[in-house]
Every structure is written in C-alpha cells, then in structure tokens.
Amino acid sequence: MKRNFTIACFAIFVLSIFTTVNLYASEEPIPFDPLPVMQFPTDNAYSIEKAQLGKMLFFDPRLSGSNWIRCSTCHDPALGFSDALPRTIGNGQKELGRHSPTVINTGYNPVQFWDGRAKSLEEQALGPIQAEGEMNQNLDDLVKELNDIFEYVRLFKQVFGEEGITPINIAKAIATFERTIVSRNSSFDKYLAGDKKAMSQNAINGMNIFMGKARCMLCHNGPNFTDNEFHNIGVKPAGPLKMDNGRYAITKAIDDKGAFKTPTLRHITKTAPYMHNGTEKTLHDVIEFYNSGGDVKKNLSPLMAPLNLTKKEKDELVEFLKTLEGEDIIITLPLLP
Amino acid sequence: MKRNFTIACFAIFVLSIFTTVNLYASEEPIPFDPLPVMQFPTDNAYSIEKAQLGKMLFFDPRLSGSNWIRCSTCHDPALGFSDALPRTIGNGQKELGRHSPTVINTGYNPVQFWDGRAKSLEEQALGPIQAEGEMNQNLDDLVKELNDIFEYVRLFKQVFGEEGITPINIAKAIATFERTIVSRNSSFDKYLAGDKKAMSQNAINGMNIFMGKARCMLCHNGPNFTDNEFHNIGVKPAGPLKMDNGRYAITKAIDDKGAFKTPTLRHITKTAPYMHNGTEKTLHDVIEFYNSGGDVKKNLSPLMAPLNLTKKEKDELVEFLKTLEGEDIIITLPLLP
C-alpha cells in the first residue's frame, strides 16, 4: 500500500515536471466529490439525546483528574476545535509534543490521532482522558464521580438503558457529539455544486495550482481533502520532543519514520498554527514550507521536491484554501449538572 | 457603619428569640424589590459591539500568559459562571485560596472580589489577568499580542475609536459583557410580580423561614439578595491558605478579620460548592452550617447563633433557595480570530 503510493507519487511528480502545465484546467470537471453525509457506526447509532450528552461531557472539567481540564480546553469551538497553540498543553500546564488536531470532520477519518493509533472516535475519546500528560483521569474514578451526579445518572440511563455510566458509554456519547461537528457549505462546496460565482478568479487559479503545479492533491485529496495516509514531509522538530517518529511508533515500519496523518484542509483558516507540531503560523508559511521542499531534506518521499511557485501563485493558493472554510460552526454551551 | 450594622443584627437576633414566630407572615407584602435594570457606568456605556468584543476576550486563552487559561476557565457559563471546584485553580494548575465567584449579577455589586478590593468590574477584570497565580499575563505583552491579531485591532477601533487596544479598553469590554450576565425571571421573581402559583407551598414556607426564624435576610437582603457588606460567619479554613483574613487585608479594621462579601443567592443552585473557600458542597450543607452556628465560634457577629431549624424547615429553606434560580443563561461561544 505504502510502496504503491510512493511509486504513484513519484510517477505524478515526474509527470508534473515534464508537463509544466496544470494537470487540471478550470474547464474540466473538478476531481472532488462532495462531502458525504456523516455515517454513524451500527454499534453507536445517532440520537439527539446521545449527542447532547456527549456535548455535556465534552465541556465538563470533571472528566479530568484535576477537574479543571475539559476536552474543549484543547479542542475549543471558539478556536476551530483546536487551541491556537503550536503544541497543546496538558495536565500540570505542561506543553505536549504535538498540535491539538481539530475535531472538525474527524468523523470522516478512518483512524484518529496524528499517528493513527486509534481506530475509532470512541477509542480516541478515552485516550486523552486517561493520558497522564493530558487529562490524567482514572476511568473507574470517573465513573464513580459521574455516578454521584444525579442528572448524569438519569441521562446515561435514558441514552444507554441499564448499562448506564461506563467508560465505553462515555466514549460513545462524546464520539456521537464529535460526529456532528462538520464543516459544511464552504465556498468551494458551493462552487463544486455549480455556483460558479462562489469562488473568485484568484481562488479558482489557486485551485488549479493546488491540483497541478503545487501537487497538494497528491495527499490532500478526496471529499475531506485527505488521503487518510501518513507521510514524512520533513517538518523540523520543535517543542519538548527532540524527535518524534510519528506513525513509526505504531507500525514499526521504517517508511513510517517521521510520518504523520494528512490532516483535512477543510475549515483550515480556523485551525492555525499548522503541522503536527504547530511550526507554521500561517497558511502562507505552510505554502513557503512546501515551496522550499520542507525543512528537513532526508527520508522524504519525492513529492517534497521544491515547487518553484511565484508570489502570485502562492497568494492564489491561499485564496483557494480560504474557500475551504465552511459555514460558522456555532456551539451553544451546555448547562452542566 | 459596621458597628451600627452589628447593633442592628443583635437587636433583630434578640427580637427573633423572644418572638419565636416568623417575622413575616405570607399574607404580608414581601420585603424584596424586583431586580432593577442593569446600569452601565457613564464612562463605559453599553453597546452590543462592546459586549460582543468583551465576550470574545472572556473566552480567549490568549489573555493569559500561558495562552491556555481563559476567564471562562474559572467562570464557566456551563457551571454557573463558576467552576464547580471548592477553590479555583490558576496558572500552573495550582489550587488557589478561594472559590471562584460567579459572574452572574456581579454587575449589581458596588465592589468586587470576596474581599471587595476592586471598586468596579473594570478594575476587577484586570486583576486575575495579571495575577501570577491566576492568568499570569503582563498587560503590555497582552496589548502587543492582541495588536498582532488583525480582527481584534479592527474591533477595538470600531468600539473605542483611535484609542484601540489598551488595558483599560480590554477591561471595559469584558466588564460590559459581564453586565449582560443577569439571573432573570426566577420563580421567586414571578411570585413577587404576583403569580402566586410560581412558588410551591413548601417554597413559600421556606421564604418565611428565610425572612424569619433563619434570619438569612439580615445579610441576604435587597433585590440581589446581598447587603453588599462583609461578615465573618465562622467558616473553617480549607485549601492552601492556613488562614484567610478576608476583608481585613484591605481595610485593616479588626472587625473585618475573616469577613467576606455576602454573595448573591440568585442562581445559587448553579454555583456549588459554597462559601468563600468552597467548604459546603450542597445547599443542605450550607443550611446545616448556619443551623449549627458556623464551624468556628470565635469573633462572630451575634447573627451566627444556632437556628434550631427542624428537618422540615431546612428542606423548605432549600425549596425557597431553588426558586431563586433564574431562566437558563444560554451562551453561544464566540468565534475567535
């Protein structure tokens, strides 16, 4: 899989050098499908009560050992469900190694975390709650704590029946809320649906550069603008981790050293700073990064060759990325018992 | 002032012992005025843009030195604009000495903080931002940081003209937002306005105990259920502070040793735990505290004599306190630049 992908990348890379024209002209159909309706797993079907309960838990500091840190502390709806920090901060107010990934559109991801170590949002949800460096909560203690809050007992019973409050039901409720957080109706979506006025000419030019000369689409493809794969794009280390092997820690495959999940580009205007360790402050910085072929030149796939973009092309690319911002995601705070 | 008050307390205390009947019968007019319309100071008039800007700042972690702690971390609308902790937690995730006071109805307070050290909400707002143990932010740095965020520059200019981003304008915006946070239309308010079905008979009984035998109204009087004075009610020390002199630290008046501001009782169901250091978990616990005459018996004003309430009277008092919960205060999270 990984090897086939690398070969494909290399082929397209060589092709793009020799063609020197955009791979897609604006008259041709845009090779993107619209974002599908969110699917809920059969063992965790959607209900409005479950999503509302999950939202309560998402904002409740009592989910952390300190009773002070919420899921929303690092996945703050006011900040694109991230936290505006390069690397997020966890228990004890200590900086962690990676940037807080947005919750937006994570319901579309086949795996979760920058290194893909969780196979579902349900599995993901219990990770940070328990992690010593994040929310530092013991799950047995959490179940006891929530069982002391009458309204939670009532709500879990309403949603999960006699099972009531269990770690997996906590995770199921949170995951259900998270699957409702979707970036919709961006200018790009409207353009894709046929409204040719939804994007400026500069943004359309940017889209063609995105698909062509800048080769962004090699990884940022599909309706959610991610291949859901892992790549080493040569980001320099920063923060408390001197080295971060990324996906390699999970697979032990040598190709995965320093590889991180391709993040969605939807709503990207709201989730700065960028990269797995937050080293790029703005979208312009990200484009400069790719244009120069990355910070660290070894072990990279051929897709990281320099791009030679002009100033105008870089600006147009940013204009295109801006069109991926969906409608505002408006969150009303729950009232906690 | 303080002395007159003590004499008055003592007189009413003696009176209540000798009368052994409730001071107010349910047929008489209730000695409470409705909550007045919030007043905005002439040097910080209300505008919707200013309140919205203040709301953004209230939820923005970049107001703290760590860029991680928000005003809303400890004054969380999901938790009655407090934090459900006995004593709040500040910079470095360290427990502080006092319970986070709610923002609800603080616009009615003549002074702010448990010890009344700030004369206005504007003055208050800059306290926790700068306090090393709370948000640990240098104001010059904060002004620089906000000036780097284009949308904030634009909004401050819109609201404050050429003055733009200054510490006092940050404070003015936050204070304006806070003055919009009011507990309205409680069952008690409806009852007071003439809807005799708005309170149960138990709650009406509780109101009479509140005004009579339990003497709550000696301090919790006026439309906001506070005399805006400071009293030592004999709460035992708890948390990191071995001793907390309260108001004494500000006035150096011996009468103020261990005295703290009478908090509002409006929306009291949403702001547990109670007391300046959060030592009472529930409203029942608070009533037990007063019923027994406080934890610490020395230096108390005579109003702290034991109450000899029956179980039924205690339950009815709680039922009355529940009627002070206003309509839900629904907060939509701002989208931060």
Side-chain angles (χ1 to χ4, degrees), chain B residues 163-209:
Chain B
E163 278 181 26
I165 303 174
T166 65
I168 183 61
N169 288 345
I170 292 168
K172 282 181 170 181
I174 293 173
T176 302
F177 167 62
E178 292 179 323
R179 288 192 181 96
T180 69
I181 307 302
V182 176
S183 175
R184 292 178 212 280
N185 289 328
S186 65
S187 301
F188 170 77
D189 289 323
K190 290 172 193 162
Y191 184 85
L192 193 62
D195 176 1
K196 295 300 171 196
K197 287 183 181 152
M199 277 168 58
S200 69
Q201 189 56 52
N202 279 347
I204 293 169
N205 295 346
M207 180 174 69
N208 284 300
I209 298 159

Short mmCIF file of all heavy atoms in Angstrom, two decimals, chain B residues 163-209:
data_model
loop_
_atom_site.label_atom_id
_atom_site.label_comp_id
_atom_site.label_asym_id
_atom_site.label_seq_id
_atom_site.Cartn_x
_atom_site.Cartn_y
_atom_site.Cartn_z
N GLU B 163 -8.26 55.14 20.25
CA GLU B 163 -7.60 54.55 21.43
C GLU B 163 -7.19 53.11 21.18
O GLU B 163 -6.13 52.66 21.61
CB GLU B 163 -8.56 54.56 22.62
CG GLU B 163 -8.64 55.86 23.36
CD GLU B 163 -9.62 55.74 24.54
OE1 GLU B 163 -9.81 54.62 25.06
OE2 GLU B 163 -10.20 56.78 24.92
N GLY B 164 -8.06 52.38 20.49
CA GLY B 164 -7.75 50.99 20.14
C GLY B 164 -7.52 50.09 21.35
O GLY B 164 -8.22 50.21 22.36
N ILE B 165 -6.53 49.22 21.23
CA ILE B 165 -6.29 48.20 22.26
C ILE B 165 -5.43 48.77 23.39
O ILE B 165 -4.26 49.08 23.19
CB ILE B 165 -5.59 46.96 21.64
CG1 ILE B 165 -6.45 46.39 20.50
CG2 ILE B 165 -5.34 45.90 22.72
CD1 ILE B 165 -5.80 45.26 19.73
N THR B 166 -6.04 48.93 24.54
CA THR B 166 -5.32 49.36 25.75
C THR B 166 -5.82 48.48 26.90
O THR B 166 -6.91 47.90 26.80
CB THR B 166 -5.62 50.83 26.12
OG1 THR B 166 -7.02 50.92 26.48
CG2 THR B 166 -5.34 51.78 24.96
N PRO B 167 -5.07 48.39 27.99
CA PRO B 167 -5.56 47.60 29.13
C PRO B 167 -6.95 48.05 29.59
O PRO B 167 -7.83 47.21 29.81
CB PRO B 167 -4.50 47.84 30.21
CG PRO B 167 -3.24 48.05 29.43
CD PRO B 167 -3.66 48.82 28.21
N ILE B 168 -7.17 49.35 29.70
CA ILE B 168 -8.47 49.78 30.22
C ILE B 168 -9.60 49.45 29.23
O ILE B 168 -10.71 49.09 29.65
CB ILE B 168 -8.47 51.29 30.62
CG1 ILE B 168 -9.82 51.69 31.24
CG2 ILE B 168 -8.14 52.20 29.46
CD1 ILE B 168 -10.18 50.96 32.49
N ASN B 169 -9.31 49.50 27.94
CA ASN B 169 -10.35 49.13 26.98
C ASN B 169 -10.63 47.63 26.98
O ASN B 169 -11.77 47.21 26.79
CB ASN B 169 -9.98 49.64 25.58
CG ASN B 169 -10.13 51.15 25.49
OD1 ASN B 169 -10.76 51.78 26.35
ND2 ASN B 169 -9.55 51.75 24.46
N ILE B 170 -9.60 46.84 27.22
CA ILE B 170 -9.82 45.39 27.40
C ILE B 170 -10.76 45.19 28.59
O ILE B 170 -11.75 44.46 28.51
CB ILE B 170 -8.46 44.67 27.65
CG1 ILE B 170 -7.60 44.69 26.38
CG2 ILE B 170 -8.69 43.23 28.14
CD1 ILE B 170 -6.16 44.26 26.59
N ALA B 171 -10.47 45.89 29.69
CA ALA B 171 -11.29 45.78 30.90
C ALA B 171 -12.71 46.27 30.65
O ALA B 171 -13.68 45.65 31.10
CB ALA B 171 -10.64 46.56 32.04
N LYS B 172 -12.83 47.38 29.93
CA LYS B 172 -14.17 47.94 29.67
C LYS B 172 -15.02 46.97 28.85
O LYS B 172 -16.22 46.81 29.10
CB LYS B 172 -14.04 49.27 28.93
CG LYS B 172 -13.67 50.44 29.84
CD LYS B 172 -13.60 51.74 29.04
CE LYS B 172 -13.47 52.94 29.99
NZ LYS B 172 -13.41 54.22 29.24
N ALA B 173 -14.40 46.33 27.87
CA ALA B 173 -15.16 45.40 27.03
C ALA B 173 -15.60 44.19 27.87
O ALA B 173 -16.78 43.79 27.82
CB ALA B 173 -14.32 44.95 25.84
N ILE B 174 -14.69 43.64 28.65
CA ILE B 174 -15.04 42.47 29.47
C ILE B 174 -16.14 42.83 30.47
O ILE B 174 -17.12 42.10 30.63
CB ILE B 174 -13.80 41.91 30.19
CG1 ILE B 174 -12.81 41.34 29.17
CG2 ILE B 174 -14.20 40.83 31.21
CD1 ILE B 174 -11.47 40.91 29.76
N ALA B 175 -16.00 43.99 31.12
CA ALA B 175 -17.00 44.41 32.11
C ALA B 175 -18.37 44.59 31.45
O ALA B 175 -19.40 44.27 32.04
CB ALA B 175 -16.55 45.70 32.79
N THR B 176 -18.38 45.08 30.22
CA THR B 176 -19.65 45.27 29.51
C THR B 176 -20.32 43.93 29.26
O THR B 176 -21.53 43.77 29.47
CB THR B 176 -19.42 46.03 28.20
OG1 THR B 176 -18.80 47.28 28.50
CG2 THR B 176 -20.72 46.27 27.45
N PHE B 177 -19.54 42.96 28.81
CA PHE B 177 -20.10 41.61 28.64
C PHE B 177 -20.63 41.09 29.97
O PHE B 177 -21.75 40.58 30.05
CB PHE B 177 -19.03 40.66 28.09
CG PHE B 177 -19.42 39.21 28.16
CD1 PHE B 177 -20.53 38.73 27.47
CD2 PHE B 177 -18.70 38.30 28.95
CE1 PHE B 177 -20.91 37.40 27.55
CE2 PHE B 177 -19.08 36.97 29.03
CZ PHE B 177 -20.18 36.51 28.33
N GLU B 178 -19.86 41.27 31.03
CA GLU B 178 -20.27 40.73 32.34
C GLU B 178 -21.57 41.36 32.84
O GLU B 178 -22.37 40.69 33.49
CB GLU B 178 -19.14 40.89 33.34
CG GLU B 178 -17.94 40.00 32.99
CD GLU B 178 -16.77 40.15 33.95
OE1 GLU B 178 -16.50 41.28 34.42
OE2 GLU B 178 -16.11 39.13 34.22
N ARG B 179 -21.76 42.64 32.55
CA ARG B 179 -23.01 43.30 32.99
C ARG B 179 -24.24 42.75 32.27
O ARG B 179 -25.37 43.02 32.69
CB ARG B 179 -22.91 44.82 32.80
CG ARG B 179 -21.98 45.48 33.79
CD ARG B 179 -22.07 47.01 33.82
NE ARG B 179 -21.09 47.50 34.81
CZ ARG B 179 -19.87 47.93 34.52
NH1 ARG B 179 -19.46 47.99 33.25
NH2 ARG B 179 -19.05 48.31 35.48
N THR B 180 -24.03 42.01 31.19
CA THR B 180 -25.18 41.41 30.49
C THR B 180 -25.56 40.06 31.10
O THR B 180 -26.57 39.47 30.70
CB THR B 180 -24.89 41.20 28.98
OG1 THR B 180 -23.90 40.17 28.83
CG2 THR B 180 -24.41 42.47 28.31
N ILE B 181 -24.74 39.57 32.04
CA ILE B 181 -24.98 38.23 32.63
C ILE B 181 -25.81 38.41 33.90
O ILE B 181 -25.28 38.68 34.98
CB ILE B 181 -23.64 37.52 32.94
CG1 ILE B 181 -22.74 37.49 31.70
CG2 ILE B 181 -23.89 36.10 33.46
CD1 ILE B 181 -23.34 36.83 30.49
N VAL B 182 -27.10 38.28 33.73
CA VAL B 182 -28.03 38.56 34.82
C VAL B 182 -28.99 37.37 34.98
O VAL B 182 -29.45 36.80 34.00
CB VAL B 182 -28.82 39.86 34.53
CG1 VAL B 182 -29.86 40.11 35.62
CG2 VAL B 182 -27.87 41.05 34.43
N SER B 183 -29.25 37.02 36.22
CA SER B 183 -30.24 35.99 36.53
C SER B 183 -31.63 36.64 36.58
O SER B 183 -31.91 37.48 37.42
CB SER B 183 -29.90 35.37 37.90
OG SER B 183 -30.90 34.46 38.28
N ARG B 184 -32.48 36.26 35.64
CA ARG B 184 -33.79 36.90 35.49
C ARG B 184 -34.92 35.89 35.59
O ARG B 184 -34.74 34.72 35.31
CB ARG B 184 -33.92 37.49 34.07
CG ARG B 184 -33.02 38.64 33.76
CD ARG B 184 -33.25 39.04 32.29
NE ARG B 184 -32.04 39.56 31.69
CZ ARG B 184 -31.58 40.80 31.86
NH1 ARG B 184 -32.24 41.65 32.60
NH2 ARG B 184 -30.45 41.19 31.28
N ASN B 185 -36.10 36.43 35.90
CA ASN B 185 -37.34 35.63 35.80
C ASN B 185 -37.30 34.32 36.55
O ASN B 185 -37.73 33.29 36.03
CB ASN B 185 -37.68 35.36 34.32
CG ASN B 185 -38.13 36.62 33.63
OD1 ASN B 185 -38.74 37.49 34.26
ND2 ASN B 185 -37.83 36.75 32.35
N SER B 186 -36.76 34.35 37.74
CA SER B 186 -36.82 33.16 38.60
C SER B 186 -38.27 32.95 39.05
O SER B 186 -39.11 33.86 38.93
CB SER B 186 -35.93 33.37 39.82
OG SER B 186 -36.44 34.44 40.60
N SER B 187 -38.55 31.78 39.60
CA SER B 187 -39.88 31.54 40.17
C SER B 187 -40.18 32.58 41.24
O SER B 187 -41.31 33.06 41.35
CB SER B 187 -39.93 30.14 40.78
OG SER B 187 -39.65 29.18 39.79
N PHE B 188 -39.17 32.92 42.03
CA PHE B 188 -39.35 33.95 43.06
C PHE B 188 -39.76 35.28 42.43
O PHE B 188 -40.67 35.96 42.93
CB PHE B 188 -38.07 34.12 43.88
CG PHE B 188 -38.10 35.31 44.79
CD1 PHE B 188 -38.82 35.28 45.98
CD2 PHE B 188 -37.44 36.49 44.45
CE1 PHE B 188 -38.87 36.38 46.82
CE2 PHE B 188 -37.48 37.60 45.28
CZ PHE B 188 -38.20 37.55 46.47
N ASP B 189 -39.08 35.66 41.33
CA ASP B 189 -39.42 36.92 40.65
C ASP B 189 -40.87 36.90 40.18
O ASP B 189 -41.59 37.90 40.29
CB ASP B 189 -38.50 37.15 39.45
CG ASP B 189 -37.07 37.49 39.87
OD1 ASP B 189 -36.92 38.20 40.88
OD2 ASP B 189 -36.13 37.03 39.20
N LYS B 190 -41.28 35.76 39.64
CA LYS B 190 -42.66 35.64 39.14
C LYS B 190 -43.65 35.75 40.30
O LYS B 190 -44.69 36.41 40.20
CB LYS B 190 -42.85 34.32 38.39
CG LYS B 190 -42.09 34.29 37.06
CD LYS B 190 -42.12 32.91 36.43
CE LYS B 190 -41.12 32.82 35.28
NZ LYS B 190 -40.82 31.42 34.93
N TYR B 191 -43.30 35.10 41.41
CA TYR B 191 -44.14 35.16 42.61
C TYR B 191 -44.25 36.59 43.11
O TYR B 191 -45.34 37.10 43.40
CB TYR B 191 -43.54 34.24 43.68
CG TYR B 191 -44.37 34.14 44.94
CD1 TYR B 191 -45.42 33.22 45.03
CD2 TYR B 191 -44.09 34.94 46.04
CE1 TYR B 191 -46.18 33.12 46.19
CE2 TYR B 191 -44.85 34.84 47.20
CZ TYR B 191 -45.89 33.92 47.27
OH TYR B 191 -46.63 33.83 48.42
N LEU B 192 -43.08 37.25 43.13
CA LEU B 192 -43.02 38.64 43.60
C LEU B 192 -43.87 39.55 42.71
O LEU B 192 -44.50 40.50 43.18
CB LEU B 192 -41.55 39.09 43.55
CG LEU B 192 -41.15 40.38 44.25
CD1 LEU B 192 -41.39 40.30 45.75
CD2 LEU B 192 -39.66 40.68 43.99
N ALA B 193 -43.92 39.21 41.42
CA ALA B 193 -44.68 40.02 40.47
C ALA B 193 -46.17 39.69 40.51
O ALA B 193 -46.95 40.26 39.74
CB ALA B 193 -44.13 39.83 39.06
N GLY B 194 -46.55 38.74 41.35
CA GLY B 194 -47.97 38.50 41.53
C GLY B 194 -48.47 37.12 41.11
O GLY B 194 -49.63 36.78 41.36
N ASP B 195 -47.60 36.31 40.50
CA ASP B 195 -48.01 34.96 40.08
C ASP B 195 -47.89 34.02 41.29
O ASP B 195 -46.83 33.44 41.54
CB ASP B 195 -47.12 34.49 38.93
CG ASP B 195 -47.43 33.06 38.51
OD1 ASP B 195 -48.36 32.44 39.10
OD2 ASP B 195 -46.75 32.55 37.59
N LYS B 196 -48.97 33.86 42.01
CA LYS B 196 -48.93 33.13 43.27
C LYS B 196 -48.71 31.63 43.07
O LYS B 196 -48.42 30.89 44.02
CB LYS B 196 -50.21 33.37 44.09
CG LYS B 196 -50.37 34.83 44.54
CD LYS B 196 -49.22 35.30 45.43
CE LYS B 196 -49.26 36.79 45.70
NZ LYS B 196 -47.99 37.34 46.22
N LYS B 197 -48.84 31.16 41.83
CA LYS B 197 -48.59 29.74 41.56
C LYS B 197 -47.13 29.46 41.21
O LYS B 197 -46.75 28.31 40.98
CB LYS B 197 -49.49 29.28 40.40
CG LYS B 197 -50.95 29.15 40.82
CD LYS B 197 -51.80 28.62 39.68
CE LYS B 197 -53.25 28.52 40.09
NZ LYS B 197 -54.17 28.68 38.93
N ALA B 198 -46.33 30.52 41.13
CA ALA B 198 -44.94 30.34 40.69
C ALA B 198 -44.10 29.64 41.76
O ALA B 198 -43.05 29.09 41.47
CB ALA B 198 -44.32 31.69 40.33
N MET B 199 -44.56 29.68 43.03
CA MET B 199 -43.82 29.00 44.10
C MET B 199 -44.73 27.99 44.80
O MET B 199 -45.91 28.27 45.04
CB MET B 199 -43.29 30.03 45.11
CG MET B 199 -41.97 30.68 44.68
SD MET B 199 -41.47 32.14 45.65
CE MET B 199 -41.38 31.46 47.30
N SER B 200 -44.15 26.84 45.13
CA SER B 200 -44.90 25.81 45.87
C SER B 200 -45.12 26.28 47.31
O SER B 200 -44.44 27.20 47.78
CB SER B 200 -44.11 24.50 45.87
OG SER B 200 -42.95 24.67 46.66
N GLN B 201 -46.03 25.62 47.99
CA GLN B 201 -46.26 25.97 49.40
C GLN B 201 -45.00 25.75 50.23
O GLN B 201 -44.67 26.56 51.10
CB GLN B 201 -47.45 25.18 49.97
CG GLN B 201 -47.89 25.66 51.36
CD GLN B 201 -48.23 27.16 51.38
OE1 GLN B 201 -49.01 27.64 50.56
NE2 GLN B 201 -47.62 27.92 52.30
N ASN B 202 -44.28 24.68 49.92
CA ASN B 202 -43.02 24.42 50.63
C ASN B 202 -42.04 25.57 50.45
O ASN B 202 -41.38 26.00 51.39
CB ASN B 202 -42.37 23.13 50.13
CG ASN B 202 -42.99 21.91 50.78
OD1 ASN B 202 -43.73 22.03 51.76
ND2 ASN B 202 -42.67 20.73 50.24
N ALA B 203 -41.95 26.07 49.21
CA ALA B 203 -41.04 27.18 48.93
C ALA B 203 -41.50 28.45 49.64
O ALA B 203 -40.68 29.22 50.17
CB ALA B 203 -40.93 27.41 47.43
N ILE B 204 -42.81 28.67 49.68
CA ILE B 204 -43.34 29.84 50.40
C ILE B 204 -43.03 29.72 51.89
O ILE B 204 -42.58 30.68 52.52
CB ILE B 204 -44.87 29.98 50.15
CG1 ILE B 204 -45.10 30.33 48.67
CG2 ILE B 204 -45.47 31.07 51.05
CD1 ILE B 204 -46.56 30.23 48.24
N ASN B 205 -43.23 28.52 52.43
CA ASN B 205 -42.84 28.30 53.83
C ASN B 205 -41.36 28.61 54.02
O ASN B 205 -40.96 29.27 54.98
CB ASN B 205 -43.10 26.84 54.23
CG ASN B 205 -44.58 26.49 54.21
OD1 ASN B 205 -45.42 27.39 54.15
ND2 ASN B 205 -44.88 25.19 54.26
N GLY B 206 -40.54 28.13 53.05
CA GLY B 206 -39.10 28.38 53.12
C GLY B 206 -38.79 29.87 53.10
O GLY B 206 -37.90 30.34 53.82
N MET B 207 -39.53 30.60 52.28
CA MET B 207 -39.32 32.06 52.21
C MET B 207 -39.58 32.71 53.57
O MET B 207 -38.85 33.60 54.00
CB MET B 207 -40.24 32.66 51.14
CG MET B 207 -40.11 34.17 50.99
SD MET B 207 -41.10 34.78 49.60
CE MET B 207 -42.75 34.52 50.24
N ASN B 208 -40.62 32.23 54.24
CA ASN B 208 -40.93 32.80 55.55
C ASN B 208 -39.87 32.46 56.59
O ASN B 208 -39.51 33.29 57.43
CB ASN B 208 -42.32 32.35 56.00
CG ASN B 208 -43.38 33.13 55.24
OD1 ASN B 208 -43.44 34.35 55.33
ND2 ASN B 208 -44.17 32.43 54.45
N ILE B 209 -39.34 31.24 56.50
CA ILE B 209 -38.24 30.86 57.40
C ILE B 209 -37.01 31.71 57.07
O ILE B 209 -36.30 32.18 57.96
CB ILE B 209 -37.95 29.35 57.26
CG1 ILE B 209 -39.18 28.54 57.68
CG2 ILE B 209 -36.74 28.95 58.07
CD1 ILE B 209 -39.20 27.13 57.13
#
